[in-house]
């Protein structure tokens, strides 16, 4: 039987956009099982902050770029769901990711493999592994990037992986519709997080460049994204499916 409290699985929920997503879902009464890669201290902070919002968040370690760990992760998810009194979950947010900056001329095969493992293979196979645990009528949000629409030199490999995720998302929507599951892509503009060594947040020139190229006149903040994802997952947006939704304040329109 479906659990009354909705449950989300959010990868990379310990920092940045994933953290904002977990906390805004908590504000909406949604519990989360979220992942971190190596920084358990930040993950524990999110657990405590979600509790302050009156929701339960459970942190699990996961390297989304290493599929050999997925079987054990699924068992850990089942155990986490059991502590929430559930056997299944409702929302999957594939958010975890790392940055990459290199020109096409100098990008190596190893760099490409690393990006592929985290940004495509991991998302594809983790979604596949989790689908048997997702309730019919569930929702998937995959995080892409504004860089699939506009281009900056040095972002080719990263952006191409994100482009692949946008195509995958449409196919997820197509194939999972029969289970009532909708899938959408959220494509953030440049957001001031730890991403890229905190470049958008901490490098004044980059921050100014982003602001100058954004219709709303500033770089994005995590709180520009998490509430939007929580809203997209709410019943009010139940008919949005197979879409790429850019959330950038109007960057490079
Ligand atoms: P952050 O660097 O702030 O946070 C990254 C999160 O992902 C952390 O929770 C981190 O865990 C986790 N993570 C990193 N590597 C792995 C891995 N191999 N396996 C599992 N988890 C991992 O990034 P953002 O919040 O800024 O980015 C989130 C997503 O948004 C990414 O997919 C990114 O590509 C995308 N994006 C970001 C933009 C931006 O400007 N910030 C713009 C457009 C898209 P831990 O703390 O343990 O390392």
């Amino acid at each position: 039987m479906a659990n009354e409290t909705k449950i989300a699985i959010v990868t990379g929920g310990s920092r940045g956009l994933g953290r904002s997503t977990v906390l805004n879902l908590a504000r909406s009464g949604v519990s989360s099982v979220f992942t971190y890669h190596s920084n358990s201290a930040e993950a524990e902070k999110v657990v405590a902050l979600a509790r302050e919002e009156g929701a339960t968040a459970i942190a699990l370690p996961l390297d989304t770029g290493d599929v050999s760990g997925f079987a054990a992760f699924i068992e850990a998810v089942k155990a986490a769901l059991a502590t929430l009194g559930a056997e299944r979950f409702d929302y999957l947010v594939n958010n975890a990711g790392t940055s990459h900056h290199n020109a096409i001329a100098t990008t190596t095969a190893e760099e490409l493999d690393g990006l592929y493992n985290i940004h495509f293979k991991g998302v594809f196979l983790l979604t596949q592994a989790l689908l048997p645990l997702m309730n019919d009528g569930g929702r998937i949000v995959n995080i892409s990037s504004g860089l699939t629409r506009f281009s900056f030199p040095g972002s080719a490999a990263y952006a191409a992986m994100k482009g692949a995720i946008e195509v995958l998302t449409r196919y997820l929507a197509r194939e999972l519709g029969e289970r009532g599951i909708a899938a959408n892509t959220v494509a953030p503009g440049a957001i001031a997080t730890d991403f890229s060594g905190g470049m958008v947040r901490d490098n004044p020139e980059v921050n100014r460049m982003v602001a100058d190229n954004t219709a709303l006149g500033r770089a994005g903040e995590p709180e520009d994204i998490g509430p939007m994802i929580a809203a997209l997952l709410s019943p009010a947006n139940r008919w949005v499916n197979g879409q790429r939704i850019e959330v950038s304040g109007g960057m490079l329109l």
Side-chain angles (χ1 to χ4, degrees):
M1 200 173 74
N3 195 295
E4 297 237 329
T5 301
K6 298 291 186 193
I7 300 171
I9 294 183
V10 181
T11 64
S14 52
R15 292 189 287 118
L17 310 187
R19 175 185 190 275
S20 176
T21 300
V22 170
L23 295 180
N24 279 283
L25 286 169
R27 267 164 220 149
S28 313
V30 176
S31 302
S32 289
V33 176
F34 74 89
T35 75
Y36 63 97
H37 182 211
S38 51
N39 193 337
S40 60
E42 288 301 312
E44 285 312 314
K45 285 185 201 165
V46 175
V47 169
L49 288 167
R51 195 180 300 122
E52 284 174 23
E53 300 291 346
T56 305
I58 298 171
L60 297 178
L62 177 70
D63 180 352
T64 57
D66 179 8
V67 299
S68 72
F70 286 8
F73 175 70
I74 296 300
E75 293 310 309
V77 167
K78 286 180 185 168
L81 291 174
T83 69
L84 295 170
E87 292 181 354
R88 299 162 87 83
F89 70 97
D90 303 284
Y91 311 134
L92 172 61
V93 182
N94 283 306
N95 162 79
T98 49
S99 66
H100 174 261
H101 302 272
N102 203 349
I104 294 168
T106 47
T107 294
T108 66
E110 289 72 23
E111 288 172 356
L112 273 182
D113 286 345
L115 281 168
Y116 168 72
N117 286 338
I118 292 176
H119 285 283
F120 187 75
K121 186 179 179 183
V123 174
F124 192 113
L125 291 177
L126 186 65
T127 303
Q128 180 190 76
L130 285 169
L131 274 172
L133 293 180
M134 181 181 271
N135 280 315
D136 288 356
R139 295 285 178 269
I140 298 170
V141 173
N142 291 329
I143 304 301
S144 177
S145 167
L147 288 165
T148 61
R149 179 179 61 80
F150 48 77
S151 54
F152 283 99
S155 291
Y158 168 84
M161 299 298 164
K162 291 295 199 186
I165 283 304
E166 294 181 5
V167 175
L168 172 64
T169 305
R170 284 203 302 278
Y171 275 83
L172 285 168
R174 188 73 184 84
E175 291 194 13
L176 300 177
E178 62 188 22
R179 288 182 55 192
I181 294 172
N184 292 288
T185 302
V186 168
I191 314 291
T193 67
D194 296 337
F195 202 66
S196 291
M199 185 173 72
V200 175
R201 183 188 56 214
D202 302 333
N203 182 318
E205 286 98 60
V206 174
N207 188 282
R208 171 56 41 203
M209 183 277 291
V210 171
D212 287 347
N213 284 291
T214 299
L216 292 179
R218 62 170 174 80
E221 300 288 339
E223 281 298 296
D224 294 319
I225 305 299
M228 181 275 169
I229 294 172
L232 182 58
L233 291 171
S234 80
N237 281 307
R238 67 185 186 180
W239 209 235
V240 182
N241 194 16
Q243 302 303 302
R244 174 196 188 271
I245 305 162
E246 194 167 304
V247 190
S248 69
M251 193 172 170
L252 289 163
L253 290 175

